Amino acid sequence: TQLLEQSPQFLSIQEGENLTVYCNSSSVFSSLQWYRQEPGEGPVLLVTVVTGGEVKKLKRLTFQFGDARKDSSLHITAAQPGDTGLYLCAGAGGTSYGKLTFGQGTILTVHP
Amino acid sequence: DSGVTQTPKHLITATGQRVTLRCSPRSGDLSVYWYQQSLDQGLQFLIQYYNGEERAKGNILERFSAQQFPDLHSELNLSSLELGDSALYFCASSAQTGYADTQYFGPGTRLTVL
């Protein structure tokens, strides 16, 4: 069974601070995806990383896939209140076709 | 708007009952996934269909079943409902079934079992 450990579970910071969310596993994934979910809505894809060591940037968000494709991180620079939400990492791969294994999620609150 | 529609948005029912959740994938997407989200378990994969055929199964209870119809919409049937089945049920769709395919999630159905 593939498992993804996501940390921290909760993060409460002030506007302008930086933060990093981690996603770790003992299993290798073919791809790692990061989603953001707002209350009452479905998760929305932020990024997909597929190559070990890959780094992708989306404005103030930086995503990294570990060299061994077992871990990933999401770094947000100068967080803003609009970044508040639930962030989820999800892994896919192997013989599981496209099914996603999700981490427990990180609830981020950015205070103005 | 992801293009994936789910009905109903809310469902309140009693223990022992049976309900059907419906999902229409994005136009052109062949793959449909069902996920369950609860506070204690997080988002859990239930089952995947691709072009009408079951492709992968997760931790789906025997009381639950699903199917994908020729028009590619899918239904998730939940029977003999228990209090613990209360959760958000999401449907997602993707063009194919690859590990890098983007999955687009619907708005979910909130099921409350009383």
Side-chain angles (χ1 to χ4, degrees):
Chain A
T1 305
Q2 295 178 310
L3 291 173
L4 270 171
E5 301 281 341
Q6 192 172 337
S7 62
Q9 219 176 328
F10 301 94
L11 205 45
S12 180
I13 62 173
Q14 293 297 126
E15 182 176 0
E17 292 183 10
N18 301 333
L19 66 111
T20 302
V21 179
Y22 299 93
C23 194
N24 296 295
S25 175
S26 58
S27 303
V28 175
F29 289 97
S30 299
S31 75
L32 205 296
Q33 303 177 19
W34 285 91
Y35 288 81
R36 181 177 158 186
Q37 185 177 13
E38 301 288 345
E41 298 179 12
V44 175
L45 181 70
L46 295 173
V47 78
T48 300
V49 284
V50 297
T51 305
E54 184 175 2
V55 177
K56 279 192 175 177
K57 291 194 174 185
L58 189 67
K59 296 182 182 177
R60 293 175 295 99
L61 278 59
T62 302
F63 305 86
Q64 186 160 9
F65 201 12
D67 291 341
R69 291 186 288 133
K70 292 183 180 181
D71 55 86
S72 181
S73 63
L74 156 61
H75 182 79
I76 301 179
T77 304
Q80 298 176 2
D83 295 327
T84 293
L86 173 65
Y87 290 82
L88 296 155
C89 64
T95 57
S96 60
Y97 295 100
K99 77 159 198 178
L100 294 173
T101 298
F102 279 88
Q104 285 293 92
T106 296
I107 297 175
L108 170 65
T109 305
V110 183
H111 301 280
Chain B
D1 184 353
S2 66
V4 178
T5 59
Q6 288 187 249
T7 56
K9 187 141 180 78
H10 300 278
L11 202 46
I12 301 174
T13 189
T15 55
Q17 295 298 304
R18 172 190 168 94
V19 297
T20 297
L21 313 184
R22 182 188 168 101
C23 167
S24 292
R26 290 189 327 147
S27 177
D29 283 358
L30 298 178
S31 206
V32 169
Y33 310 79
W34 286 98
Y35 294 87
Q36 179 193 59
Q37 187 175 37
S38 60
L39 281 174
D40 56 340
Q41 296 289 326
L43 254 171
Q44 300 272 319
F45 167 76
L46 295 178
I47 197 163
Q48 177 201 0
Y49 279 82
Y50 176 74
N51 204 19
E53 294 189 5
E54 182 185 303
R55 266 303 176 99
K57 231 172 182 175
N59 298 325
I60 187 166
L61 300 171
E62 284 192 14
R63 300 183 286 108
F64 296 1
S65 65
Q67 53 185 327
Q68 186 179 27
F69 295 87
D71 67 352
L72 300 177
H73 91 271
S74 177
E75 292 181 356
L76 178 66
N77 300 295
L78 315 176
S79 61
S80 303
L81 285 168
E82 301 175 0
L83 295 178
D85 298 328
S86 295
L88 267 168
Y89 290 85
F90 288 104
C91 165
S93 74
S94 66
Q96 296 291 327
T97 188
Y99 59 78
D101 278 3
T102 298
Q103 291 188 26
Y104 295 89
F105 283 75
T109 293
R110 181 175 292 280
L111 173 67
T112 302
V113 183
L114 301 175

